[in-house]
Amino acid sequence: MAERIPILARRKLFSTTSSQEVGKIRAALTQAGVPFHIGQSDLTPPLGNGGRLALHYDAPLPAYEYTFYVHKDDVELAESALAGMVE
């Protein structure tokens, strides 16, 4: 149920780098009937060492961060929907 929510009415709900978690959150919000918007940010840093910022050079880095936004009037309902996921 991703839909357009006016930018000034959006509130950040949750951020993750896990695509599996994106699916779970999307399902929980859809089931609860909460409209949402997902923003995607590229996390690949422009560094000369191949873009490595990890503690261990061989550690995989997430490519994207996904941020869920909901309407400011739906924040409590959305948080409640996500609380139900923790079972």
Side-chain angles (χ1 to χ4, degrees):
M1 186 143 91
E3 64 179 54
R4 295 199 51 79
I5 300 171
I7 291 175
L8 296 178
R10 288 181 192 172
R11 295 297 178 266
K12 180 179 174 180
L13 178 67
F14 192 82
S15 291
T16 183
T17 56
S18 166
S19 58
Q20 290 84 10
E21 206 165 25
V22 168
K24 291 177 184 178
I25 295 167
R26 180 189 297 257
L29 294 176
T30 299
Q31 185 175 12
V34 178
F36 59 90
H37 171 81
I38 303 174
Q40 181 177 330
S41 301
D42 186 358
L43 295 180
T44 309
L47 298 176
N49 66 346
R52 294 282 177 196
L53 285 178
L55 293 176
H56 302 286
Y57 184 77
D58 292 335
L61 296 176
Y64 297 101
E65 178 179 49
Y66 305 94
T67 303
F68 284 79
Y69 298 93
V70 296
H71 192 280
K72 62 184 178 183
D73 296 338
D74 294 332
V75 171
E76 287 183 27
L77 179 59
E79 289 174 344
S80 177
L82 295 188
M85 286 178 32
V86 184
E87 299 173 9

